[in-house]
Amino acid sequence: MIREILAGLWLLPLVYAAPLNTRDIKSILTNPDNIWAQGTTISFSGSDVFTNATNRWTITDAPTFSAAISPINEEDVVAAVKLATSNGIPLLATGKRHGYTTTLAEMQQGLAIDLTQLSSYVIDKDAGTITLGGSTGIGDIQDAVAEAGFMIQSGSGSCPGYVGLTVGAGVGRYMGYFGLVMDGLISARVVTADAEVLEVSDTQNQDLFWAIRGAGANFGIITSATYKLHKMADNYNGQILNADIYFAPNETDQYFKYLESIGRDLPGNVAGIHLTSYNDSVGSAQLLANWVWIGTEEDGREFMSQFLDLNPTSANIQYLPWNKLIGTAAGGFNDILCEKDQYRNFYTANLLKLDGSTYQETFEKMTEFYNTYPDAHGSFVNLEVFPNQATAAVDHDSTAYPWRDTKAYIQVGILVGDEHIDSDAVSNGETLARGLRDSWVKTSGYSEISIYVNYAHGDEELWQKYGRDKLPRLSALKKQWDPTNVFGFNNALPTSWGNSTSKRSARMTHG
């Protein structure tokens, strides 16, 4: 048995030894031989600067750091990678620090390369492109993009980094219309594990360009990226109809059944986000169905009428510019969604098809959970129905992303306040969340868990994140570009794949 395990270990990337102590890291980073650019900051635990460079969207299974460097430019990103790798210091590059996979907790007392200062953007109106820094988010650029007369696809919230969305794929309301966020990527500048800066695109370093679109956290640090923009004049002048439609507990069963009946035939210019949450004002769970329509107001209102015919509790419908959508949709849920330093525990599943009875059962279980644990009233379930016409039109083999056939995503988030982290709500919320995920998978249309990697909890098998057909090429590229696993804390890839030994070893190390 031991011989069999040892025989498989060579298939995994080598990893750094235990991190140096804080004093050693401090002396290495502050060595006067290091020439850092003016504006680059180095900070250590206990300081406000360090806190600002490392605080995260969720505190659940978060990485920990002994030091942080916030480079002012690409050259200092390169220098930081070179210094860390040459001294055996584990590193993790972060932008908006919105990732929540539990594998990030494998980073303990390492170096944070905080890309916050790489947040600029340049719009080229003639070329119809935008080039942005490694930590820039959609909330930073959407108004400027609209003012220039363009649109761009995004996720559902303003707080994640745009590059962070890209490297996983970038699902969102525009999947059926413009495609995934990564489908708009034209080129990127990547700092590799050996501290080399490479341009990647369809014509330069094509294999790496393929890999970063779907598994990019494994291959380097993207310091800047260029994306295609879409002219508002060609897309209904950038106007979108947003409808927030609320259903009481006695109305949800009918709604979910109807949703299932229309799920296969939704057009590509619509998207629906469904939030099961607790309404403090009425003291019960509720369902908010947020639908958006890219098109004329008249056609959009006709589309929304089918939901109004179900006699919801209330509805609010607005025709607005695309850049105001995120802040308006779902009753302004984005403001709550983007609060930092919260306990959040997520489990998610991809869906090929919809099943109304499953989602009604989920609603009832969440209602019971709310009634039992008032300190977990911030918990929610989010069913994202994103038609995939534009996404599926892109060749499956053109990028590393394996789930272009997915049409919806369902996620449970267990949220509690700091004072309740040790309460039964957390442990029983974990049990509930795992059970809900199991129930979703059974009716998902997939034979097992399939997960968009940016939504991965961290306990899924590698092929459930990256796809069985993608893993052989991805692992070979991992061996080529990062054989020592410098970028090995975000759902890390092995350096070989294709037999039971490599799969077993991957589970031992990363599962």
Side-chain angles (χ1 to χ4, degrees):
M1 176 67 174
I2 294 177
R3 181 181 302 171
E4 183 183 38
I5 293 174
L6 290 175
L9 293 180
W10 69 272
L11 298 165
L12 291 165
L14 299 174
V15 295
Y16 288 115
L20 304 176
N21 62 49
T22 302
R23 181 178 300 175
D24 289 337
I25 294 177
K26 185 172 184 178
S27 65
I28 290 168
L29 291 174
T30 59
N31 188 317
D33 291 339
N34 302 325
I35 309 299
W36 303 109
Q38 185 175 0
T40 290
T41 61
I42 297 172
S43 57
F44 302 93
S45 181
S47 71
D48 290 342
V49 175
F50 177 83
T51 298
N52 290 335
T54 57
N55 68 331
R56 301 190 63 80
W57 180 65
T58 176
I59 61 174
T60 312
D61 292 309
T64 65
F65 304 98
S66 295
I69 182 168
S70 304
I72 193 69
N73 56 29
E74 182 181 80
E75 289 77 12
D76 279 1
V77 175
V78 172
V81 171
K82 189 176 297 183
L83 195 64
T85 55
S86 63
N87 286 280
I89 302 172
L91 64 87
L92 181 66
T94 62
K96 298 291 190 183
R97 297 186 291 279
H98 199 271
Y100 57 77
T101 180
T102 59
T103 67
L104 292 171
E106 296 170 17
M107 160 60 82
Q108 293 294 310
Q109 299 305 313
L111 173 66
I113 300 182
D114 164 40
L115 303 179
T116 298
Q117 297 197 85
L118 303 186
S119 58
S120 63
Y121 59 88
V122 176
I123 297 171
D124 187 330
K125 295 178 68 172
D126 293 333
T129 62
I130 184 170
T131 299
L132 47 80
S135 74
T136 309
I138 187 65
D140 302 319
I141 64 172
Q142 58 186 355
D143 290 343
V145 170
E147 186 177 345
F150 294 96
M151 303 173 69
I152 192 169
Q153 57 261 55
S154 71
S156 304
S158 66
C159 34
Y162 203 76
V163 165
L165 293 175
T166 304
V167 298
V171 306
R173 293 183 175 97
Y174 299 95
M175 283 176 54
Y177 195 72
F178 292 137
L180 299 161
V181 168
M182 71 176 186
D183 291 336
L185 183 66
I186 297 171
S187 65
R189 291 178 63 83
V190 182
V191 179
T192 63
D194 59 3
E196 182 182 2
V197 179
L198 297 178
E199 280 276 350
V200 299
S201 68
D202 279 333
T203 59
Q204 295 177 282
N205 299 296
Q206 295 96 323
D207 274 355
L208 192 54
F209 188 54
W210 178 88
I212 67 168
R213 291 174 294 165
N218 279 274
F219 292 98
I221 302 172
I222 296 178
T223 56
S224 67
T226 299
Y227 297 84
K228 176 185 177 182
L229 299 174
H230 311 278
K231 290 182 179 180
M232 289 168 54
D234 297 336
N235 297 282
Y236 307 98
N237 292 317
Q239 293 292 116
I240 292 177
L241 190 71
N242 176 78
D244 291 339
I245 307 171
Y246 294 85
F247 294 91
N250 64 345
E251 301 165 338
T252 57
D253 188 38
Q254 179 187 19
Y255 177 82
F256 285 131
K257 288 177 180 176
Y258 183 74
L259 179 64
E260 178 183 350
S261 73
I262 65 172
R264 291 183 179 273
D265 301 315
L266 290 169
N269 63 321
V270 306
I273 290 178
H274 303 79
L275 292 170
T276 295
S277 62
Y278 188 82
N279 186 331
D280 286 313
S281 63
V282 298
S284 69
Q286 69 175 13
L287 174 67
L288 165 57
N290 167 249
W291 284 96
V292 300
W293 170 275
I294 305 170
T296 68
E297 182 174 7
E298 180 181 3
D299 290 344
R301 287 186 178 274
E302 181 179 350
F303 175 80
M304 301 303 173
S305 66
Q306 62 188 312
F307 306 121
L308 301 181
D309 289 343
L310 298 175
N311 298 314
T313 301
S314 63
N316 180 30
I317 301 178
Q318 296 175 267
Y319 199 51
L320 42 75
W322 74 271
N323 54 306
K324 303 304 179 185
L325 175 63
I326 290 177
T328 303
F333 184 70
N334 182 69
D335 292 340
I336 299 173
L337 180 69
C338 290
E339 291 178 357
K340 282 194 169 186
D341 296 316
Q342 304 288 313
Y343 175 91
R344 295 176 168 97
N345 190 16
F346 292 102
Y347 285 85
T348 312
N350 293 359
L351 307 175
L352 271 177
K353 62 185 184 69
L354 302 178
D355 187 89
S357 61
T358 298
Y359 313 142
Q360 177 61 22
E361 182 181 340
T362 293
F363 185 89
E364 293 169 359
K365 288 184 177 179
M366 288 301 295
T367 298
E368 182 181 353
F369 183 67
Y370 292 140
N371 292 339
T372 306
Y373 300 104
D375 48 348
H377 278 178
S379 304
F380 64 90
V381 171
N382 180 14
L383 170 61
E384 299 176 322
V385 179
F386 295 152
N388 68 338
Q389 286 89 329
T391 298
V394 177
D395 180 53
H396 173 78
D397 295 327
S398 64
T399 68
Y401 184 63
W403 309 120
R404 290 185 178 275
D405 57 348
T406 298
K407 295 183 178 180
Y409 311 83
I410 187 166
Q411 175 183 86
V412 57
I414 304 299
L415 278 69
V416 301
D418 290 348
E419 68 275 19
H420 301 297
I421 288 177
D422 295 325
S423 71
D424 289 342
V426 170
S427 58
N428 290 328
E430 170 86 12
T431 301
L432 170 67
R434 285 179 176 271
L436 288 177
R437 184 180 63 176
D438 289 345
S439 71
W440 301 333
V441 172
K442 288 178 182 177
T443 59
S444 68
Y446 290 104
S447 60
E448 61 180 342
I449 295 173
S450 299
I451 185 71
Y452 161 48
V453 69
N454 283 2
Y455 282 174
H457 178 80
D459 64 329
E460 303 89 347
E461 301 286 3
L462 282 175
W463 61 85
Q464 294 170 345
K465 305 171 192 177
Y466 295 115
R468 283 184 170 87
D469 62 324
K470 306 286 186 175
L471 274 167
R473 184 177 178 186
L474 280 171
S475 60
L477 290 170
K478 182 70 171 179
K479 184 176 183 179
Q480 176 183 351
W481 292 105
D482 187 19
T484 58
N485 212 22
V486 173
F487 307 110
F489 298 100
N490 192 335
N491 297 295
L493 289 165
T495 56
S496 184
W497 194 260
N499 58 57
S500 59
T501 304
S502 63
K503 294 174 185 178
R504 179 170 57 251
S505 300
R507 288 198 298 271
M508 287 165 46
T509 302
H510 303 297

